[in-house]
Amino acid sequence: MFHDAEFMPFSPRAKPSLRAAVTNMIENWPPEAYREGHAVMRGLWPILPATVLLTDPVLIEEVLIARAEEFVRDRFQTRALSSAFSRKSLFFAEGADWRWQRRTAAPAFRHEKLIELVPTFARGAHAQAQEWRRTANGGIINVAPAMAQLTFAIILRAVLGQGAETLDQRKFLAELRPRVSTTAWRFLFARMGLPEATPFPGSRKAAASGRWLSDAISRLVANRRAEGRESKDILALLLSAKDPETGRAMSDAELISNLYMFMVAGHETMATALAWTLWLLAKDQATQERLRAEIQAALGQRPIGPEDIDRLTFTRQVLQESMRLFPPAFGVGRAPREDVTIGPHKIRAGELVIIAIWCVHRHEKLWDEPYGFDPDRFASEKVKARHRCAYMPFGAGPRICIGSNFAMLEMTTILATLVRGFRFKPAPGHQVALASHLTLRAKNGLPLVIEVL
Ligand code: HEM
């Protein structure tokens, strides 16, 4: 078990602050949320209503699994995240529309299909390693943008196939930034009941980026339709999908929305998780060495192939423990269709309930030494002994992340490639601070000393 004061970089506030709401909203989740099964985040009368947070796995199971039909995505998180995911996408669909979109996308995420992508993951990771071999050598590199570029290149390849080569990927990423970094403002204004058009810092730039992205993605879809070429990528799958019951195909608006959503959901979360993982390993050198020993024993110096993934068990555990301490998706929201009672709380139809993943993962009653870094918590017998909602970086129930296996395969491949080739150490003098954007990022990036091995 490795401890470091930075593994809990703030003190939870008993009383919320508006500043925290737009910088690091989880600071406002009260101390009880780490001790009790549910907690209420006090409101800031008259501008911000109180919010119920759930942290008891039994109550969470009720909302996300047992009574999932009674809940929908809440309108506050929907407004916040729609700048990054687009409202017509599978992420926001409900009822029959959601079931159809999810069925349509599911074949792209089957195990056989994902395994075929391992060489793509490995090539991407290898290219990153080549670059660091040229540029790193004992210098300091901010791994957060590096992981964003790497995971973005890979998701584009998975979604667009060879079409990814023709895109200006840096420009795309630059235009995505204002969309994902303004989610906290959108969430706060939605909670305050302000109209969607209310300006906030960065809103103009975000709107301009939205228009640029929408045009660029529309052109991608139009070009692909015009080419009519055979392809095995996710776009091809969405283009050819038909509802088995009605024969309906996806409209252009749905295609564009889903393409946009996959581009964002398929890289931002993984980039965040990988960057935190490298940072944690830089702090905990003994675990980094143990990880490297597993990778070298399993692979030697040859490239990672699909057959290797199952042998990299400790690599997987390191990623799981990293996402326990720093879950990229730090909380999910739900709203009941009708008035309901959850635990002692009466929640009115349409009101927000937050499943506080960050607090669940650091809950005193669920974890020994919750702030320590210990990948052995994810040894299989320990996992079996835990409630299934005690650990949920990918959510739970019917709306569990469709990309969870994609993400674990890709992250395992990348982590193994990078840790085999480099030693990561903390950058002297850097202090970590959290920023709750779309995902839980580090405010000033994650600079690390990178030594070539
Ligand atoms: C470390 C990586 C990832 C994390 C931590 C993560 C986390 C999550 C979480 C917590 C949810 C549930 C949201 C809710 O219940 O409200 C979710 C849903 C979703 N994720 Fe992921 N995700 C990751 C990677 C991916 C990837 C790689 C893709 C696609 C390529 C993806 C696509 C989606 C989609 C489409 C949904 C919505 C599913 C639905 O509503 O049916 N995610 N993700």
Side-chain angles (χ1 to χ4, degrees):
M1 177 88 61
F2 185 83
H3 288 271
D4 187 290
E6 288 197 307
F7 293 172
M8 183 58 181
F10 62 87
S11 300
R13 291 166 182 272
K15 209 175 139 208
S17 97
L18 275 184
R19 196 182 132 71
V22 289
T23 53
N24 174 25
M25 68 172 83
I26 54 179
E27 269 180 40
N28 283 341
W29 295 357
E32 308 86 86
Y34 300 75
R35 293 194 299 266
E36 314 289 339
H38 45 84
V40 177
M41 179 172 85
R42 282 171 57 187
L44 281 175
W45 192 87
I47 42 174
L48 196 62
T51 309
V52 172
L53 303 170
L54 300 184
T55 50
D56 177 352
V58 175
L59 295 180
I60 293 173
E61 182 175 21
E62 216 179 298
V63 172
L64 291 185
I65 304 175
R67 296 168 63 188
E69 290 284 308
E70 295 173 43
F71 293 84
V72 289
R73 288 203 184 286
D74 68 278
R75 64 185 189 282
F76 311 101
Q77 209 181 26
T78 296
R79 180 162 142 193
L81 299 189
S82 62
S83 70
F85 291 156
S86 182
R87 287 196 192 180
K88 277 197 168 2
S89 71
L90 150 67
F91 197 91
F92 294 116
E94 296 286 352
D97 184 27
W98 168 73
R99 270 191 294 282
W100 176 64
Q101 291 206 40
R102 179 116 188 173
R103 263 203 318 267
T104 304
F109 295 94
R110 291 214 184 98
H111 184 71
E112 323 80 76
K113 194 84 191 154
L114 294 178
I115 279 293
E116 286 175 16
L117 283 172
V118 172
T120 305
F121 301 155
R123 270 195 301 276
H126 182 67
Q128 177 67 77
Q130 300 269 60
E131 190 192 319
W132 279 352
R133 222 159 264 134
R134 282 195 310 275
T135 56
N137 217 358
I140 293 178
I141 289 188
N142 182 358
V143 296
M147 291 302 102
Q149 278 155 27
L150 170 57
T151 53
F152 191 56
I154 292 176
I155 191 66
L156 286 182
R157 184 77 206 186
V159 170
L160 300 172
Q162 285 171 357
E165 315 296 317
T166 58
L167 286 192
D168 181 349
Q169 301 191 1
R170 278 179 193 264
K171 170 76 174 154
F172 252 87
L173 261 187
E175 296 293 348
L176 282 172
R177 206 80 309 276
R179 306 291 299 168
V180 299
S181 61
T182 47
T183 50
W185 276 105
R186 292 172 205 272
F187 185 70
L188 174 67
F189 279 13
R191 286 305 276 152
M192 290 166 72
L194 297 173
E196 284 203 39
T198 314
F200 50 80
S203 55
R204 244 180 212 247
K205 173 71 190 114
S209 292
R211 286 191 294 276
W212 188 89
L213 286 161
S214 167
D215 286 352
I217 297 170
S218 306
R219 275 198 303 278
L220 284 175
V221 172
N223 289 346
R224 179 64 78 82
R225 278 205 200 280
E227 282 168 19
R229 72 179 155 86
E230 286 280 301
S231 183
K232 287 182 166 177
D233 48 58
I234 294 177
L235 176 57
L237 189 116
L238 298 179
L239 274 165
S240 62
K242 293 223 163 41
D243 189 330
E245 280 155 33
T246 63
R248 180 169 90 82
M250 274 196 186
S251 67
D252 271 4
E254 284 167 333
L255 276 168
I256 293 162
S257 288
N258 277 305
L259 212 54
Y260 180 44
M261 183 273 292
F262 279 125
M263 281 183 186
V264 180
H267 92 279
E268 165 82 16
T269 43
M270 272 185 289
T272 308
L274 281 165
W276 283 118
T277 307
L278 295 176
W279 178 80
L280 285 160
L281 290 170
K283 295 263 183 193
D284 181 359
Q285 290 292 318
T287 297
Q288 191 180 147
E289 282 308 322
R290 183 174 158 197
L291 176 59
R292 191 168 295 117
E294 170 179 273
I295 298 160
Q296 275 163 350
L299 307 170
Q301 286 309 313
R302 66 183 168 78
I304 301 176
E307 66 289 355
D308 297 316
I309 299 290
D310 285 347
R311 283 186 292 150
L312 296 171
T313 43
F314 190 63
T315 314
R316 197 180 170 87
Q317 286 175 219
V318 166
L319 287 163
Q320 288 170 315
E321 174 67 344
S322 159
M323 289 193 293
R324 182 187 68 80
L325 276 174
F326 293 94
F330 48 90
V332 298
R334 289 291 188 272
R337 292 176 192 273
E338 314 276 341
D339 295 0
V340 288
T341 303
I342 299 290
H345 304 286
K346 288 194 191 327
I347 319 280
R348 289 208 311 278
E351 252 323 309
L352 172 66
V353 187
I354 293 182
I355 318 295
I357 297 176
W358 167 272
C359 299
V360 176
H361 286 187
R362 289 163 175 258
H363 202 282
E364 284 175 14
K365 296 200 178 122
L366 299 173
W367 305 94
D368 289 338
E369 302 186 48
Y371 301 157
F373 178 63
D374 177 14
D376 287 322
R377 297 178 202 270
F378 289 91
S380 63
E381 67 288 356
K382 291 199 179 156
V383 172
K384 280 186 208 132
R386 273 196 294 270
H387 192 288
R388 61 176 159 170
C389 292
Y391 177 70
M392 38 182 302
F394 296 107
R399 299 209 76 141
I400 195 167
C401 177
I402 201 172
S404 60
N405 292 331
F406 183 117
M408 287 311 293
L409 273 180
E410 178 173 330
M411 293 192 300
T412 304
T413 310
I414 292 175
L415 187 63
T417 308
L418 297 181
V419 169
R420 177 170 62 181
F422 304 91
R423 179 170 294 110
F424 298 91
K425 292 184 174 166
H430 178 261
Q431 269 213 321
V432 88
L434 299 183
S436 57
H437 292 170
L438 173 66
T439 58
L440 193 62
R441 292 186 149 237
K443 191 170 159 217
N444 302 316
L446 290 169
L448 299 179
V449 173
I450 303 185
E451 290 174 0
V452 180
L453 291 173

